[in-house]
Amino acid sequence: MTSGRSKPAPPAADRREPDPVLRKEFAERLVRTLELRGYPPYGRALFARVAKEYNVTISASRKWLSGEGFPGIETLVRIANDLKISLDYLLRGVEILFDQSSSDMEVRRSIALLQLAKSFTLVPRAEAKKIERGEHTREVIGFTRDWLERHFGAGEGEIDACEASGDAMAPEVRAGDVVVYRKGVKAFGDNGLYVLRQGATVKLRRVSLLADGRIKLACENRSYPPEIFPARRVVFGQAADPGKIAVLGRYLGSIRRAD
């Protein structure tokens, strides 16, 4: 005998999809990556192959590849794994390519793929091997050029990047953030953030010009005391003299990974 009560319905699945612009950008990145991996060019043959591999209808795969639809999260993860790219790239257009533990073959393959994809630009990390507390940087970071323009107002060849460590610039920049900066600056703008090399250390600091001609380097974290140097100690660009402070560029912004 039943109680007459009906069981509560399970919660409805969240089927919200990205807005049309993000769906379109996702589709363009997916099609480009599939072609680089040897898939057919955009068209029915590609729709059919993707449909077969991911067990969906041709209509569904066509919508993914045209920006009209979007795969579910499990399928999205599988696509990224199969194509050996990150979800970060598929969804946002920014990809950390490799670090120093990667094999030479992996490095060469990553660079070759990005050079073939004309919408990509490779951004080298800072030349120093260590940043702040001695942690290794990423070697190369790949960005889509339109993403660089949209977020930093900078084009190919104008920027470099490095990976931060330590908490000296928190909360503005945290350990693990990728710091993007415009290289080739020739003078300071007062109270701006700059990427500097001091000896073997690359760091981000807020620069102020003092009335007596000296330069103050300050951290956002007030538990770190400022450093003050005579202007003659500071040079713009690379410095052969290890006693100099080299200004590598002006801070444009940072990229933070999701926690």
Side-chain angles (χ1 to χ4, degrees):
M1 183 175 178
T2 62
S3 64
R5 293 181 181 176
S6 60
K7 293 183 179 180
D14 187 352
R15 296 297 299 168
R16 289 176 296 177
E17 292 184 347
D19 65 44
V21 173
L22 292 180
R23 288 203 308 266
K24 189 71 173 175
E25 291 177 348
F26 162 81
E28 290 171 354
R29 285 191 285 270
L30 179 56
V31 170
R32 183 165 56 238
T33 306
L34 288 168
E35 290 183 355
L36 289 171
R37 295 293 194 265
Y39 282 66
Y42 183 86
R44 185 168 180 80
L46 179 61
F47 304 156
R49 182 167 170 184
V50 170
K52 181 179 180 180
E53 292 194 9
Y54 295 98
N55 195 29
V56 297
T57 65
I58 290 178
S59 175
S61 71
R62 180 190 62 77
K63 288 181 179 179
W64 296 353
L65 297 166
S66 64
E68 297 174 28
F70 202 76
I73 186 62
E74 290 184 1
T75 304
L76 191 62
V77 171
R78 185 181 163 197
I79 290 171
N81 287 338
D82 289 349
L83 297 178
K84 300 188 185 332
I85 55 176
S86 71
L87 285 174
D88 219 24
Y89 166 63
L90 274 179
L91 297 174
R92 298 195 299 126
V94 57
E95 174 83 325
I96 305 297
L97 294 179
F98 54 86
D99 56 28
Q100 292 174 337
S101 64
S102 302
S103 72
D104 288 343
M105 185 173 292
E106 289 173 326
V107 169
R108 288 196 298 271
R109 183 168 60 245
S110 294
I111 291 176
L113 286 172
L114 281 180
Q115 289 173 335
L116 284 171
K118 299 301 184 183
S119 63
F120 266 100
T121 186
L122 296 177
V123 176
R125 51 83 172 161
E127 288 182 7
K129 296 294 184 184
K130 300 179 181 180
I131 291 180
E132 289 288 322
R133 296 182 181 176
E135 296 181 9
H136 290 288
T137 69
R138 300 272 173 175
E139 293 289 341
V140 176
I141 302 170
F143 298 94
T144 55
R145 293 179 182 130
D146 58 347
W147 192 90
L148 282 179
E149 291 282 357
R150 188 164 64 250
H151 288 80
F152 297 118
E156 183 180 11
E158 296 181 288
I159 67 170
D160 276 351
C162 58
E163 187 171 320
S165 64
D167 62 351
M169 297 304 289
E172 176 75 21
V173 176
R174 301 191 314 210
D177 289 358
V178 176
V179 173
V180 179
Y181 59 94
R182 187 184 299 276
K183 59 186 180 180
V185 297
K186 302 298 183 184
F188 288 125
D190 193 33
N191 209 34
L193 290 172
Y194 291 84
V195 176
L196 313 162
R197 177 180 290 118
Q198 189 173 359
T201 301
V202 174
K203 55 190 178 183
L204 178 66
R205 292 293 183 267
R206 187 170 296 283
V207 176
S208 298
L209 307 177
L210 302 180
D212 61 5
R214 293 183 299 168
I215 293 172
K216 182 173 78 171
L217 309 181
C219 302
E220 301 293 88
N221 185 340
R222 299 303 181 186
S223 64
Y224 289 80
E227 301 173 273
I228 297 176
F229 298 95
R232 65 178 180 275
R233 285 278 307 278
V234 178
V235 296
F236 290 89
Q238 303 299 326
D241 185 345
K244 298 287 187 180
I245 299 168
V247 181
L248 302 184
R250 180 161 187 153
Y251 173 78
L252 293 176
S254 60
I255 303 165
R256 182 165 297 166
R257 294 186 180 185
D259 294 327

